[in-house]
Every structure is written in structure tokens, then in C-alpha cells.
Amino acid sequence: MTYRILVVCTGNICRSPAVQLLLTRAVDDSVLVTSAGTAALPGWAIDDRMAAHLREDAIRTDAFRSRPLTADLMAGADLIVTATAAHRAPALALQPSAVRRTVTLGELSRLASHLPRGAAQGADDAGRLAALVPAALALRPRFLGQDGDDDVPDPYGRPDDEYWRSYAWLRHHVGRLVTSLREGVNPVSTPRAL
């Protein structure tokens, strides 16, 4: 079984490719992470300043090219992760049936961090995600009105420190999600670290 994650931002040149590449490095081969943008121009490379942060983490960016979000991409995803809550509306306009599997990265990582140790049981990361995601999303009612700011701001065209801030938040959320995925798992079976 392959678990498919689709990461969505606006242009698919800063936030969503960073999450795609960070998650791809952290999970095993049972998970396929891709990305798209609600207003992407097809074929663009990752923005140079975001790519520089990824390269500092030893992640190659040269093969990445942006693509627009489509209904078919959403239909094929087990989980749609958005950079901000505002990305949900245009995504769900394309695929309304995806409402229960579309969540911001920040909210998912925050909710997953409240799960008990070992909540993500499975033989591989696909199985663990299949257990973790519904368990995390089931916690939504418990935290109504208590959520922090789950959105990761768009650094595009802004000063360098905004790129660093955005990347740091993306890395934080991916790291927290991966930690929740790994808790209670035999360290021998953990394929990669973030």
C-alpha cells in the first residue's frame, strides 16, 4: 500500500515544495509526497531563497518543478496538507469530497502532538499515517477555539528573514508530525531522520 500526501500552497515554489522534500526525506518508501499550487505556474523551480534553506539541510532541489492543483491530484491523495487555512477553500472547490482529508500542516502537527505515545501503529509509514491522521483529526472538537496560528505565511517576494521564518515553521511542523509518527516505533525500523 502506498499512502499519498499532497501538499498545497499558492505558487508551489516555496512552502509546499519545502514540505514535500522535507517529508520525503523523513518517511519510508511506502509514502509518496507530492505538491501543487492553487495559483502555480507550471514548470517553475523552487524559489532560490527557499531552495537555499533546503540545500543547507542537504536536500536537493534541482529536479523539482511546480504544477497547478487539480481535482485529479486531490482525488488521488489520501491526505491533502495545506500551508494555510485559506488554501482549503480553493482546494475543496475542486474536490468537495476531500473535506475530511484536507488539513493545514500546522493543525495536523499540533493535533498529532497530543496523541498518546504509540498511537501510530503500523508495519510501515503508510500504515502508521493511516492510523495517525484519523486519530489526530478526531481531536479537533477537543481543541475548538483553542488553536494557535496554524498558518505558515508566504515568504515569496519578501525579505530574506521571512524566508527563514517560513522555512523554520515548515521544518518545525514536519518535525513534530514525524516525531508523532515515530513515537512507540522500534528505532530499528525507523528509516530516516528529519
Side-chain angles (χ1 to χ4, degrees):
M1 167 179 118
T2 299
Y3 192 92
R4 299 176 188 278
I5 300 174
L6 175 64
V7 188
V8 177
C9 72
T10 305
N12 193 216
I13 58 171
C14 290
R15 294 168 292 177
S16 58
V19 173
Q20 174 186 337
L21 295 173
L22 286 165
L23 268 175
T24 296
R25 180 173 71 175
V27 296
D28 66 29
D29 293 338
S30 68
V31 179
L32 175 65
V33 188
T34 61
S35 64
T38 59
L41 294 172
W44 283 34
I46 298 175
D47 181 275
D48 288 341
R49 290 184 284 176
M50 186 61 76
H53 293 302
L54 287 159
R55 284 191 302 271
E56 287 171 6
D57 278 337
I59 297 174
R60 293 190 59 159
T61 63
D62 50 316
F64 180 86
R65 293 295 175 262
S66 66
R67 64 184 179 166
L69 182 65
T70 66
D72 286 344
L73 289 174
M74 291 196 55
D78 297 297
L79 175 66
I80 298 103
V81 177
T82 63
T84 69
H87 290 113
R88 285 185 52 140
L92 292 174
L94 292 171
Q95 189 71 277
S97 64
V99 68
R100 293 180 188 221
R101 54 192 166 91
T102 304
V103 61
T104 66
L105 175 64
E107 182 183 24
L108 181 59
S109 79
R110 179 173 48 81
L111 293 173
S113 73
H114 290 284
L115 290 172
R117 181 175 173 80
Q121 294 296 316
D124 55 18
D125 284 340
R128 287 186 280 276
L129 279 163
L132 180 137
V133 170
L137 296 181
L139 294 178
R140 276 177 160 165
R142 180 175 153 194
F143 294 99
L144 279 178
Q146 300 177 31
D147 60 321
D149 186 4
D150 292 328
D151 291 350
V152 178
D154 189 356
Y156 185 71
R158 305 202 56 194
D160 289 347
D161 63 329
E162 293 298 321
Y163 279 83
W164 170 244
R165 191 177 345 274
S166 178
Y167 184 71
W169 272 113
L170 295 170
R171 199 170 190 281
H172 165 76
H173 290 313
V174 169
R176 187 162 64 171
L177 181 59
V178 170
T179 296
S180 298
L181 191 64
R182 298 282 183 250
E183 285 183 345
V185 175
N186 180 347
V188 172
S189 69
T190 303
R192 297 169 224 167
L194 183 64

